[in-house]
Amino acid sequence: MMLEIKPIFHALCRSKVGALLLLIQIAITTAIVSNAAFIIQDRITYLNQDTGYPEDEILAFHVMHFGKDVKSHQQFELDEAMLRALPAVKDAAYINNIPLSGSGSSSDFSINSAPEPGLSARTAYFFTDDHAIKTLGVELIAGRNFREDEVVVTNDNDQRANVTIVTQALLNELFPDEDGLGKTIFLGDIPMKVIGVIKHAKGPWLKDSRPNNVALIPYINPNISGNFLVRTAANERANIAKRVEDEMLENYNKRVIIRVRGLDQDKAQYMAEDTLMMRMLIVLITILVLVTALGIFGLTLFNINKRTKQIGTRRALGARKSAIVNYFLVENALICIAGLFLGAISALLLGQLLMQHFSIAALPSIYIAVTAIMVFTMSLLAVFGPAKRAANISPSIATRTI
């Protein structure tokens, strides 16, 4: 019997405009939803990536001096000591830029001094001190922390630090075949010995080509402004944030304290566009699926109203209710399968365009398969209600004039 596919096909050919529109709608939905779902999953992975920091414990703020009666680098040392003495503060450190904030410094770190050619890697670097490791909450997996005497605290731009602590990712890139601990690397022509290795940490830019390449340099030369990081217990951070401006001004009042915020808040602000895009894609998927479901529902109702007498005749000739339901389910399935086939091809083509123009990874076929199953299931559910209604049409309707 083939589930009456032949008469169903002929019926579709007689009212092909509605079927064609629904087919195109299913194809568009499949193409867009599969790609949007992949992008959403990619964004979720990106937004939830491990940064290496206990973000909810770290507070950051910016300080700008306008007083002339103290040297800023010396005052910053006093400020650090004051901040570390506050209740619930685990540690505090000066830093020139804030991780995860979207603003910072980077350069090529090389195994040879400039201008000699040699293997190099783009690296974000932070000027900080011997309290940075504990303040940032990163894991030192090899080597040691800075000694206090290795931290260069100065207003002299000609002075340089000669040691550094870097992430494992950077050493893997610069020394792929050997242990980089104890080696000398160069920031331009400045040599620095690698004395410690951090397991994992992100720089200021999570969208950077090398977000895991990070170097800490023990150098404090703040001029008139700089940043502080304060690490507290997570449940005490809000209280410390309320106190920090007053405490800093009490320590020295000829300055301005701005942008007091948590590291996670900095990260959220940096990722705001990606979060907004993800939410918009979720709304787009929801609307598309609902519109497609309503389209299927509406087309089925239209077909029922148009074929009321035909359905009544079939019922009068002994057709069971289940046969009427199967008829509309199979009719919808035929349209849906054709739409899904066209949609799968469109999804791959759309994925290729996104990959070329927006540097998005190739669309995995699993997303197309899952989307196709979802759309097919949704289409059957959308048609089931109208099909049940058709099955309840009385056989006596066949004797009426329409």
Side-chain angles (χ1 to χ4, degrees), residues 141-291:
I141 57 173
R144 61 174 176 82
N145 193 7
F146 302 124
R147 296 192 306 267
E148 188 175 350
D149 62 284
E150 291 173 323
V151 181
V152 177
V153 182
T154 182
N155 274 351
D156 183 358
N157 292 330
D158 292 329
Q159 285 191 265
R160 293 287 184 267
N162 56 14
V163 293
T164 184
I165 297 174
V166 302
T167 53
Q168 184 66 62
L170 175 59
L171 286 189
N172 289 344
E173 190 167 350
L174 290 180
F175 303 97
D177 301 320
E178 56 183 316
D179 184 6
L181 182 64
K183 302 289 186 181
T184 298
I185 60 177
F186 294 84
L187 173 57
D189 59 352
I190 305 169
M192 288 178 287
K193 182 180 178 181
V194 177
I195 62 167
V197 183
I198 297 169
K199 181 178 181 180
H200 177 60
K202 297 284 186 179
W205 311 280
L206 295 174
K207 299 174 187 176
D208 192 76
S209 60
R210 299 289 191 278
N212 300 314
N213 287 359
V214 174
L216 304 181
I217 301 172
Y219 181 73
I220 296 180
N221 183 358
N223 197 1
I224 62 169
S225 66
N227 298 288
F228 282 97
L229 295 178
V230 179
R231 186 179 173 197
T232 73
N235 60 347
E236 292 290 339
R237 193 180 69 175
N239 293 331
I240 296 297
K242 293 175 183 177
R243 293 182 56 185
V244 72
E245 182 175 0
D246 291 338
E247 296 287 347
M248 289 290 288
L249 292 178
E250 185 177 336
N251 214 29
Y252 180 66
N253 61 6
K254 295 179 181 178
R255 53 186 172 179
V256 178
I257 315 300
I258 59 174
R259 298 201 300 270
V260 181
R261 72 278 187 200
L263 194 62
D264 51 350
Q265 294 167 330
D266 256 338
K267 177 186 171 185
Q269 184 176 352
Y270 174 73
M271 292 179 160
E273 290 184 5
D274 297 277
T275 303
L276 177 61
M277 182 184 73
M278 183 184 70
R279 290 173 179 170
M280 290 177 64
L281 287 174
I282 291 173
V283 171
L284 174 64
I285 285 178
T286 304
I287 291 173
L288 270 175
V289 170
L290 287 176
V291 168

Side-chain angles (χ1 to χ4, degrees), residues 18-39:
L20 186 60
L21 288 175
L22 184 57
L23 184 151
I24 293 171
Q25 187 175 356
I26 289 172
I28 292 173
T29 299
T30 304
I32 294 178
V33 168
S34 56
N35 278 279
F38 173 58
I39 294 172

Side-chain angles (χ1 to χ4, degrees), residues 57 125 128-129 145 180 197 234 245 248 259 265 316 322 326 364 367-368 381 388 397:
E57 297 181 4
Y125 59 89
T128 185
D129 60 24
N145 193 7
V197 183
E245 182 175 0
M248 289 290 288
R259 298 201 300 270
Q265 294 167 330
S322 60
N326 285 339
Y367 283 87
I368 300 176
L381 292 174
K388 289 268 289 183
I397 199 75

